[in-house]
Amino acid sequence: MHAAEQYIESLYLADEVLERVKIGIREANMPEISIAFGYGRLLTLLVKTAGARRILEIGALGGYSGICLARGLPADGRLISLEINPDFAAVAARHLRMAGLDGIAEVRVGDATESMRRLEEEGARFDFVFIDADKGGYPAYLEAALRLTVPGALIVADNALLKGKTFNPEADGPSVRAMRAFNEAVASDPRLESVILPAYDGLAIARVKT
Ligand code: MG
């Protein structure tokens, strides 16, 4: 973490629920790659200010970002979080329950592309999509998100920088190429207006044009 990020984080009281989630993730031997503290706060703020009511999350991991998203929802809102790893999904569901958000949040186990296709067939539509899953899948997740969202919806994605690999000309590989393609699509797709924040590991925020 950069000194600037550390300084900003030091201004805030520790979030007891999210601290417990991080411990739970460590104890479950899961990768400790939850969204950064500041971006978690930003997710809650974005959901609230956008007045989002139906959120789709791609990649639940241990439920950290799911909690941040669901916290922004009204009591009758809904979060569907997709997770391919059933063990991770169980941890995420436990953490959402611990946070008192299990009434509005649901973790679905399965391949995200398949789950999104099914949601599309069911006619489900979302006003907020958060992408934080396998990086190779990002370009396809963006296309699927565009099919699943209403005009004015927000599509937010973590890890735009891939620890600096996306802008390092020497870095290569399927994940790097996919993330570069994703970032370029976010920046130039005529269906979107967007910004990509370069703090932490980079966060893309796009709005589906009306
Ligand atoms: Mg991430």
Side-chain angles (χ1 to χ4, degrees):
M1 206 191 324
H2 291 113
E5 294 158 359
Q6 232 155 9
Y7 161 67
I8 299 297
E9 290 195 11
S10 76
L11 300 173
Y12 292 88
L13 287 174
D15 187 309
E16 276 180 42
V17 169
L18 293 178
E19 288 304 312
R20 277 161 69 193
V21 167
K22 282 164 84 171
I23 291 166
I25 286 172
R26 195 174 313 139
E27 285 174 351
N29 290 313
M30 292 167 61
E32 295 180 50
I33 51 167
S34 296
I35 193 167
F37 175 81
Y39 283 163
R41 296 187 68 86
L42 179 57
L43 288 181
T44 306
L45 280 173
L46 285 173
V47 171
K48 282 188 185 175
T49 51
R53 308 180 72 82
R54 295 191 52 85
I55 307 175
L56 177 66
E57 178 181 48
I58 301 154
L61 192 66
Y64 185 105
S65 50
I67 289 170
C68 297
L69 291 163
R71 277 175 173 174
L73 282 171
D76 62 345
R78 188 109 196 106
L79 165 72
I80 296 176
S81 185
L82 309 179
E83 175 55 54
I84 195 163
N85 182 315
D87 297 330
F88 291 3
V91 172
R94 177 158 55 80
H95 285 154
L96 284 159
R97 200 158 51 239
M98 179 190 77
L101 295 162
D102 49 320
I104 55 171
E106 166 200 349
V107 184
R108 287 193 188 177
V109 181
D111 172 73
T113 305
E114 188 46 47
S115 297
M116 289 173 93
R117 191 178 305 134
R118 206 169 314 122
L119 284 164
E120 203 187 330
E121 281 166 11
E122 291 166 8
R125 290 297 177 268
F126 298 88
D127 47 21
F128 199 112
V129 175
F130 178 56
I131 305 171
D132 193 9
D134 61 297
K135 306 314 162 193
Y138 270 41
Y141 298 150
L142 178 61
E143 279 306 318
L146 279 160
R147 289 192 295 273
L148 279 164
T149 44
V150 294
L154 291 180
I155 300 173
V156 180
D158 190 29
N159 306 110
L161 296 181
L162 273 187
K163 295 180 180 156
K165 290 194 198 114
T166 47
F167 61 90
N168 175 357
E170 321 238 295
D172 199 12
S175 298
V176 177
R177 283 199 291 272
M179 190 55 79
R180 284 179 185 143
F182 174 83
N183 288 338
E184 284 157 22
V186 164
S188 63
D189 192 302
R191 296 168 290 181
L192 298 170
E193 46 193 330
S194 70
V195 65
I196 301 176
L197 305 179
Y200 297 109
D201 199 29
L203 191 80
I205 304 172
R207 178 180 181 272
V208 180
K209 285 183 188 168
T210 46

